Every structure is written in C-alpha cells, then in structure tokens.
Amino acid sequence: QSALTQPASVSGSPGQSITISCTGTSSDVGGYNYVSWYQQHPGKAPKLMIYDVSNRPSGVSNRFSGSKSGNTASLTISGLQAEDEADYYCSSYANSGTLEVFGGGTKLTVL
Amino acid sequence: EVQLVQSGAEVKKPGESLKVSCKGSGYSFPNYWIDWVRQMPGKGLEWMGTIYPGDSETRYSPSFQGQVTMSADKSISTAYLAWSSLKASDTAMYYCARRRQQWLETPFDIWGQGTTVTVSS
C-alpha cells in the first residue's frame, strides 16, 4: 500500500489561507469518509486536527477545516498564524493489505 | 486525564532484542485499540499495526508483519512493541496512539510522547 500523496511543502503569510492536498485511491481516501489530519511540531508527538474528513476535535481552532472530493482530501488553514508552522500528515482508513495509510507529510512555513 | 506514557529511549546493538512499552491511564484501557507508528529520522509517519488490549487481537501492516510483535497486558494497562533481532534500519522514533472510538475506522486521538530507538554497533 503506497503512502498517500501530499505536497512536500506549502507556505503562506500570516492572515492568509493555505490548502494542503492528500491524494489516495478508491481503496482508501476515495472509498471512505475516514480521513484524518495531524499536526506535528518539531520534536513533538502528532496531534489530531481533523477527523472523518471534516470534523474538528474539541479544542481545535475553527481556522482548520477539511474536505474531500473523489480520491483527494484537503486541509485548509485560514488566518494563518506563526504557531501553525509545523508538519501536517493526512491519514485514511484503507481496505487492502494495510488498515491505515499516512501521507508523506507537508511542511507548512509561515512567512 | 487520558494519556499514554511510553518507556524511555533505548540504545541497542544490531541483533539484540528489545521491548518498548506504552501505559494508558484515565480511560478503560482494554476497550480501545492501541496502534504503533514509526517515524524514521527526518521522515514521515508509517503505520505499523494495532492491538486490542481486551483480547490481544492484532493487525499488522504488511510492511511490518514478521518484523515486530505487538502485545498487551490489560491488567496493567500496558501495550508493548517488541523486536527479536534489531537492525540498524530500526533506528526511529516509535509512537503509540489510541483510537478515538472502540472500532478501527476512527482516528488517533491520544498519542504517547514517543520512544527513540537507536540501533548502532
């Protein structure tokens, strides 16, 4: 099972919005509404930001939103803040071989 | 507070065995799947497998099947990840993570702090 495809890096200025894509197949992203997004700051454990495509856990800012179209899911961060600078990983439930597959990760730089 | 606390950093030689632990607290440990995730230096997250502490049912990623062993002792709320013969390529950070609900189609809502494993001669 190949990793989901994410851009290696994205950047934006404070206050702007950015979107990170996550492309899979019909066996994972396209087949289920079980896409999650995780934020990881350097030296820290990942943190759940979005689950089931578009749901936010309690305590996560509403500046973070998720969506999906076909085999591609997206994470949008609006009103960028310096603290958003981190690595972001998508993941999806999968039905072939492996139960879970992660994206390769996207490094977000806030300029 | 719901949390997972992992055992400390390990430095091992190739061919040695190792078992790292992940202790849960603040919730009903037997009833939630615990997964293991590898992060090699400077790289992304890789799903290794999952275990249900209630009955020790395990599911492994094909990439890790036969390379590691997952186990759990529900009496002490602890999950384990073990290697019988380490390789240099096992050098990585290993995270345990709890699934948000009591089934597999749910995300990881609680993560351990990670255990660094270094394998070097």
Side-chain angles (χ1 to χ4, degrees):
Chain A
Q1 187 82 17
S2 301
L4 306 177
T5 300
Q6 297 181 232
S9 63
V10 298
S11 62
S13 299
Q16 288 186 331
S17 295
I18 62 96
T19 296
I20 300 171
S21 62
C22 169
T23 301
T25 70
S26 58
S27 295
D28 38 66
V29 174
Y32 306 94
N33 288 324
Y34 298 131
V35 176
S36 303
W37 290 90
Y38 299 90
Q39 176 192 66
Q40 186 180 35
H41 286 110
K44 300 295 187 182
K47 175 187 176 183
L48 179 65
M49 304 302 285
I50 295 288
Y51 67 96
D52 294 354
V53 175
S54 60
N55 293 309
R56 274 189 313 277
S58 174
V60 172
S61 170
N62 60 9
R63 297 186 298 105
F64 291 82
S65 62
S67 62
K68 191 186 86 167
S69 177
N71 295 337
T72 298
S74 298
L75 172 71
T76 297
I77 309 174
S78 59
L80 270 179
Q81 299 179 2
E83 69 213 46
D84 299 331
E85 186 163 292
D87 293 325
Y88 291 85
Y89 295 90
C90 62
S91 75
S92 174
Y93 179 79
N95 74 350
S96 58
T98 188
L99 280 176
E100 189 84 26
V101 60
F102 283 101
T106 298
K107 181 176 181 59
L108 169 62
T109 301
V110 180
L111 301 170
Chain B
E1 179 192 7
V2 176
Q3 60 179 350
L4 297 173
V5 178
Q6 298 184 231
S7 50
E10 300 276 359
V11 180
K12 292 288 191 178
K13 290 180 167 41
E16 292 185 332
S17 64
L18 175 65
K19 181 183 275 191
V20 298
S21 67
C22 169
K23 183 174 177 61
S25 61
Y27 73 100
S28 179
F29 184 80
N31 296 333
Y32 290 79
W33 293 85
I34 293 288
D35 291 52
W36 290 93
V37 176
R38 183 175 79 174
Q39 188 167 37
M40 299 178 77
K43 301 299 184 182
L45 305 175
E46 298 174 88
W47 183 74
M48 301 177 71
T50 186
I51 184 166
Y52 189 75
D55 61 7
S56 290
E57 178 183 353
T58 55
R59 312 276 185 93
Y60 291 94
S61 162
S63 298
F64 292 93
Q65 179 82 47
Q67 308 304 308
V68 297
T69 301
M70 297 175 192
S71 61
D73 185 342
K74 62 184 178 182
S75 69
I76 55 172
S77 300
T78 301
Y80 301 96
L81 178 65
W83 294 260
S84 59
S85 181
L86 286 160
K87 302 184 283 288
S89 57
D90 293 318
T91 294
M93 176 73 83
Y94 294 87
Y95 292 102
C96 63
R98 187 193 80 160
R99 296 226 176 223
R100 183 173 176 271
Q101 303 280 9
Q102 294 164 306
W103 49 87
L104 286 168
E105 299 88 337
T106 56
F108 310 122
D109 65 339
I110 304 295
W111 291 71
Q113 82 277 20
T115 295
T116 299
V117 173
T118 302
V119 184
S120 174
S121 55

